[in-house]
Amino acid sequence: MKIVAPAGNMERFYSAVNAGADEIYMGLKGFGARRNAENFTLEEFKQALDYAHERGTRIFLTLNTLMKNVEIEFLYQNFKALYEHGLDAVIVQDLGYFRFLKENFPDIDYHGSTQMTAANHVEANYLKSIGFKRVVLPREMSFEEIKKIRENTDIELEIFVSGALCICYSGNCYMSSFIGGRSGNRGMCAQPCRKFYTSSEGEKGYLLSPKDQLMSFEEIKKLKEIGINSIKIEGRMKEKTYVHEAVTYFKNLIDGVNVKERVSSIFNRGYSKGYFYENRENVMNKNYPANTGKPIGIISGKELLLEENVMLGDGIIYLSKDYETLGGDYINRIEKKNKKEKFKTAQKGEKIILINAPKGAKYVFKNYDKNINDDIESKLKNSGKKKEISFEFIGKEGELPVLKACAVNNRGEKISAEIKGENPVEKAAKRGAEKENIIEKLSETGETVFKVKDCNVYIDNNIFLPLSVLKQMRRDVLEDLRKKLVESHRRILGEKEIYRIPVEKDKPKNCEISVMVTNEIQEKTVRELGIKKIYRRGFDVARENNLDRINLNEKLATNLYQVLENKNNDVTVGWNLNVGNIYSLNEYGKIPNVETVIITPELNFEQIENIGKVPVRKALLGYSKLKGMYVELPIFKDGEVITNEQGDNFVVRKNELRNDEIYFEKPLNVLSQVKRLGKIGIDEVVIELLDETPEEIKFILENIDKKENSYSPYNYERGVF
């Protein structure tokens, strides 16, 4: 089982490699689901590839965002440069972008991002059938579901085991997008889940903020036993010390060493096992949303009864009874109650005096552990991942000595280098060379990137072999092997015609009006008002354990499983499948029963028009109290309203699976522009109902293409970043 580590810049990259990460995911500047991370220039990325390939580490490029038409071909040259330089794999979310890359760059591994929300074996097998090598399962999967998926697919599976949790399914969160045009699907999430909310039930706090995830020995053992291929650490925005410690910790667990975790001493906003077990009561932290550190006690006046050890140089922060940050400090003196002398350390259970404690402080957290950070900094200087090699040395009297070195590159290919000495081997005048001594000297690889796993020596008896000759041959063969290892990952694409789908302007359409209903009363109302095409709401995600709850007779498919297994031959793909470019529309058009696709409401009108002519009908949301989140937890009561600090209201609805769906109170409404939508090539305008009354529905439908329908376009005018 491999460790997949994050790297947001070169410093963190070196930290991940040298801690022993098998695989690292990284982004190019301006692309990927962490566009706010520092990320890498093209030259830095190439440098990282060579460094990793020398040491046997694989590198993945994150292109796990939704792409607009104009962006898909824009990245071609940069991707080509990395492809030819030896990039090991690419992580993608957008099916259309996957097809563009796959057709142009076939000889590379493609991984399905967790943002695809492939949460069952049917979807996993489909992704394999179209060319994916691996799928990253959603963080919301329980162990039993992961196990069931593993038993029913042979595609590689990757599981998150550490780091931040999104409260909403990745890829199905639109809060940031609809509030302010910063799309999580485009790597620009403003993290509304980490903001302060007030509930209509009187609750206040960070009501959407989950703890981070941190699995331990038992969970890793279970994943290893069922044959999971890779475990993933989240954290491209986190520091090098966090990356190094997390990789080291999980490497020990995979090797069967149940070490004490120290990750929570470096970054901590509370930790849980996430969704791994069915009991998920401990996932949320509504008190504070950021890295606050580990709680070390409750302060009374200036006195603190320690719940953790402290030492000089530790960093602490003070919080009020409401977890408001009141300030912070480094411990530069330790004074214990009723003792006059000064101390360098204090232990759990002792009471210390904090003379700088601010008024109103209640909780004290340690957000910098000097001992642990010093230890990691020391390891960062001294540690280094090395590539295993084998040596073969031949020394025959009267012939040139031969040293051969072999290693296996990231593609499983055997790479060899061979060097011969300058002078023939001579007979020893006194004591001859011994095999054990030769093996010992050849194994002294020192500061090189290699370590010797096997060394076979074949020599004649009583030969003379100077130590200087052995050292020089070792240096030369290892340098040659290093170069060959790096070069073995190169590809030559050559001159070939670029696969692309030309954009052809679509003709104007007469828009059909369809309605998505939530209940029987709404359906009866819209039928009486003459609507022929009526949809029923479905679930955004088809979890492995809920497949029997997915309605395969419903023509509207709101998850990929429902698309693939649908019983109808005129299926409409829901907008939450994030389809927004000509390539992805063409890709869905290849699925035999797909007739219509509702385009993502994250595009503006110009971008929608620029998609052009496609082999499916194009639909668009005309009215909707937009769904901002699909949450696998029952956090709120049905009908509860939560309000952010800007005064925006969101309504919570429980679906039949008892999941929370969070909707915007203010609806999107462009029904006054139906003729305009037809002119830009839209075949169908969808009205998505939530809790609207028959009277409200009648008003909406009777005022289509009239100014009485209040114009509220959300992203249709502004677009998203």
Side-chain angles (χ1 to χ4, degrees):
M1 193 160 65
K2 308 294 186 185
I3 294 175
V4 191
N9 59 25
M10 287 300 289
E11 188 178 49
R12 295 164 200 169
F13 163 76
Y14 290 130
S15 178
V17 175
N18 293 336
D22 304 289
E23 302 168 334
I24 297 176
Y25 60 102
M26 304 169 16
L28 275 174
K29 286 184 182 293
F31 293 91
R34 281 291 181 267
R35 282 164 64 191
N36 288 327
E38 189 175 331
N39 288 324
F40 297 78
T41 65
L42 185 62
E43 289 308 310
E44 284 174 333
F45 212 111
K46 288 181 179 180
Q47 180 184 336
L49 281 170
D50 290 348
Y51 186 91
H53 290 162
E54 290 172 357
R55 293 159 175 80
T57 299
R58 301 180 73 219
I59 301 295
F60 307 155
L61 172 63
T62 55
L63 291 177
N64 51 336
T65 54
L66 301 181
M67 309 295 274
K68 301 171 186 175
N69 264 21
V70 295
E71 295 169 332
I72 288 182
E73 296 177 23
F74 173 75
L75 195 59
Y76 178 88
Q77 290 300 330
N78 280 353
F79 189 85
K80 179 175 182 285
L82 294 180
Y83 176 84
E84 292 186 323
H85 206 79
L87 180 67
D88 296 286
V90 57
I91 306 170
V92 292
Q93 173 190 4
D94 191 308
L95 275 179
Y97 195 46
F98 157 75
R99 178 57 58 199
F100 174 80
L101 293 174
K102 181 70 174 173
E103 294 297 325
N104 286 304
F105 307 98
D107 185 27
I108 193 172
D109 290 347
Y110 291 91
H111 296 180
S113 168
T114 187
Q115 289 176 282
M116 298 185 86
T117 56
N120 59 76
H121 72 277
V122 174
E123 293 172 342
N125 284 328
Y126 169 74
L127 293 177
K128 184 186 178 187
S129 74
I130 63 174
F132 281 87
K133 179 75 176 292
R134 178 184 298 185
V135 62
V136 186
L137 294 182
R139 295 168 175 87
E140 289 82 356
M141 308 301 291
S142 70
F143 172 70
E144 292 305 320
E145 288 176 300
I146 295 169
K147 182 180 178 183
K148 196 171 178 181
I149 294 171
R150 176 73 292 167
E151 290 169 350
N152 288 282
T153 185
D154 58 359
I155 194 173
E156 290 184 7
L157 296 180
E158 184 173 305
I159 307 295
F160 277 93
V161 296
S162 171
L165 289 174
C166 295
I167 190 58
C168 175
Y169 276 92
S170 299
N172 283 85
C173 184
Y174 307 94
M175 290 282 275
S176 177
S177 171
F178 295 150
I179 289 173
R182 291 184 55 176
S183 170
N185 281 317
R186 303 260 306 149
M188 293 298 288
C189 182
Q191 294 192 305
C193 56
R194 303 297 183 188
K195 300 297 190 285
F196 191 88
Y197 290 86
T198 303
S199 155
S200 58
E201 294 291 313
E203 190 177 11
K204 295 182 179 181
Y206 300 93
L207 306 182
L208 292 173
S209 183
K211 299 175 182 177
D212 282 7
Q213 177 192 47
L214 185 61
M215 293 190 186
S216 56
F217 185 74
E218 283 303 313
E219 293 81 48
I220 300 306
K221 181 181 177 183
K222 286 174 178 285
L223 293 174
K224 187 176 179 180
E225 285 174 349
I226 64 171
I228 293 304
N229 301 89
S230 294
I231 57 173
K232 188 167 201 159
I233 299 167
E234 182 276 335
R236 275 190 284 159
M237 303 285 281
K238 293 187 172 75
E239 296 302 321
K240 63 178 181 179
T241 49
Y242 176 92
V243 174
H244 191 281
E245 184 59 29
V247 172
T248 303
Y249 173 61
F250 285 109
K251 195 169 181 62
N252 276 307
L253 299 189
I254 287 174
D255 292 341
V257 183
N258 190 4
V259 295
K260 182 181 178 182
E261 67 86 9
R262 304 191 304 179
V263 176
S264 60
S265 295
I266 300 170
F267 188 97
N268 196 323
R269 57 175 152 223
Y271 280 98
S272 76
K273 305 296 183 186
Y275 299 81
F276 196 78
Y277 300 106
E278 292 300 330
N279 182 358
R280 297 164 175 177
E281 296 177 358
N282 191 38
V283 173
M284 303 300 293
N285 179 5
K286 298 179 181 180
N287 293 322
Y288 52 90
N291 175 27
T292 305
K294 296 186 78 171
I296 61 171
I298 296 176
I299 194 167
S300 177
K302 303 290 184 182
E303 297 179 4
L304 177 68
L305 180 62
L306 289 171
E307 297 173 6
E308 295 280 341
N309 299 344
V310 296
M311 67 179 294
L312 293 176
D314 283 349
I316 58 174
I317 63 170
Y318 300 97
L319 303 178
S320 72
K321 61 181 177 59
D322 298 319
Y323 291 91
E324 178 189 0
T325 302
L326 301 178
D329 205 355
Y330 283 99
I331 298 177
N332 52 27
R333 59 182 283 171
I334 296 178
E335 182 180 332
K336 299 180 183 179
K337 188 176 182 182
N338 299 326
K339 294 185 179 180
K340 293 183 178 180
E341 63 265 44
K342 302 296 184 291
F343 298 87
K344 293 183 178 179
T345 63
Q347 311 306 309
K348 178 181 178 181
E350 293 186 302
K351 188 171 284 189
I352 65 172
I353 310 300
L354 295 173
I355 60 174
N356 295 325
K359 185 178 180 180
K362 180 177 181 180
Y363 304 105
V364 182
F365 281 65
K366 180 164 66 172
N367 62 352
Y368 180 81
D369 190 306
K370 185 177 186 303
N371 185 49
I372 291 175
N373 277 275
D374 285 352
D375 181 54
I376 296 171
E377 288 289 349
S378 175
K379 289 177 178 176
L380 284 168
K381 294 174 184 176
N382 300 320
S383 66
K385 185 179 182 184
K386 291 180 177 286
K387 178 81 175 171
E388 286 187 343
I389 62 168
S390 61
F391 271 140
E392 181 181 282
F393 180 82
I394 301 172
K396 300 292 184 182
E397 186 181 341
E399 299 178 10
L400 296 177
V402 178
L403 179 60
K404 185 177 182 180
C406 294
V408 177
N409 72 5
N410 289 355
R411 298 174 189 165
E413 301 162 341
K414 188 174 181 180
I415 308 300
S416 301
E418 184 178 302
I419 195 80
K420 292 184 178 181
E422 295 181 356
N423 301 306
V425 175
E426 299 177 356
K427 193 174 186 66
K430 296 180 180 178
R431 183 180 176 183
E434 297 180 356
K435 283 186 179 182
E436 292 74 16
N437 289 337
I438 294 174
I439 292 172
E440 180 183 350
K441 294 304 175 186
L442 289 176
S443 298
E444 294 173 356
T445 54
E447 297 299 313
T448 71
V449 299
F450 301 111
K451 62 180 178 181
V452 179
K453 182 181 180 182
D454 299 302
C455 187
N456 296 310
V457 174
Y458 307 98
I459 57 172
D460 287 344
N461 292 327
N462 202 34
I463 61 168
F464 174 62
L465 198 62
L467 182 60
S468 60
V469 171
L470 270 181
K471 286 183 176 180
Q472 188 60 50
M473 292 181 71
R474 184 190 66 210
R475 280 194 293 268
D476 292 345
V477 79
L478 289 182
E479 177 58 19
D480 191 26
L481 181 63
R482 185 192 66 79
K483 291 178 180 177
K484 286 183 175 179
L485 261 178
V486 171
E487 290 296 326
S488 72
H489 292 89
R490 301 281 196 265
R491 303 179 184 92
I492 300 176
L493 187 63
E495 294 299 323
K496 55 173 285 188
E497 186 177 351
I498 299 175
Y499 164 80
R500 53 164 60 96
I501 299 175
V503 176
E504 181 183 344
K505 186 175 175 63
D506 208 353
K507 63 183 180 181
K509 310 289 179 61
N510 291 318
C511 296
E512 177 184 14
I513 302 297
S514 63
V515 179
M516 188 189 309
V517 300
T518 302
N519 54 53
E520 300 292 340
I521 295 174
Q522 289 178 345
E523 182 169 352
K524 180 175 181 292
T525 301
V526 299
R527 283 195 189 281
E528 289 174 351
L529 290 167
I531 299 298
K532 299 289 191 294
K533 195 168 190 178
I534 301 172
Y535 300 118
R536 279 279 188 168
R537 283 187 180 275
F539 305 123
D540 287 9
V541 180
R543 278 180 56 187
E544 183 72 26
N545 283 352
N546 293 332
L547 296 186
D548 60 338
R549 304 289 299 276
I550 306 299
N551 184 358
L552 301 179
N553 294 310
E554 170 55 51
K555 291 185 178 183
L556 176 68
T558 52
N559 55 71
L560 184 57
Y561 173 78
Q562 205 172 16
V563 176
L564 298 171
E565 300 293 304
N566 208 289
K567 307 300 184 186
N568 298 288
N569 58 9
D570 53 351
V571 173
T572 296
V573 176
W575 64 265
N576 64 292
L577 273 81
N578 302 320
V579 183
N581 59 64
I582 191 172
Y583 291 89
S584 54
L585 280 156
N586 270 270
E587 199 64 21
Y588 276 98
K590 295 176 184 177
I591 301 174
N593 57 354
V594 170
E595 179 189 70
T596 304
V597 175
I598 306 176
I599 294 169
T600 172
E602 294 200 283
L603 297 182
N604 63 35
F605 288 137
E606 182 182 0
Q607 292 161 347
I608 293 167
E609 183 176 14
N610 289 341
I611 289 173
K613 191 175 181 179
V614 291
V616 293
R617 297 174 73 248
K618 290 180 289 188
L620 200 69
L621 277 184
Y623 172 94
S624 173
K625 290 182 177 177
L626 294 160
K627 186 188 298 180
M629 288 186 176
Y630 184 90
V631 182
E632 192 60 47
L633 297 173
I635 306 174
F636 303 104
K637 293 181 179 178
D638 190 29
E640 195 169 345
V641 176
I642 60 172
T643 305
N644 64 17
E645 292 179 294
Q646 289 71 44
D648 301 312
N649 290 331
F650 308 92
V651 182
V652 180
R653 296 294 180 201
K654 297 280 185 193
N655 63 24
E656 294 173 13
L657 299 174
R658 305 306 298 162
N659 294 332
D660 283 4
E661 298 178 354
I662 300 175
Y663 293 87
F664 282 64
E665 185 180 62
K666 179 184 177 182
L668 171 147
N669 192 340
V670 292
L671 293 177
S672 62
Q673 305 289 310
V674 167
K675 287 181 181 176
R676 176 186 178 187
L677 300 181
K679 288 177 182 178
I680 64 173
I682 297 302
D683 297 272
E684 180 179 332
V685 175
V686 182
I687 296 172
E688 191 176 58
L689 300 177
L690 179 64
D691 54 3
E692 288 80 2
T693 64
E695 291 75 20
E696 290 172 322
I697 295 169
K698 185 177 180 182
F699 180 87
I700 291 168
L701 288 174
E702 289 182 348
N703 287 286
I704 287 175
D705 229 9
K706 298 176 184 177
K707 63 181 180 181
E708 279 75 12
N709 260 310
S710 178
Y711 187 63
S712 178
Y714 279 81
N715 293 328
Y716 287 148
E717 293 287 358
R718 70 189 176 199
V720 296
F721 294 106

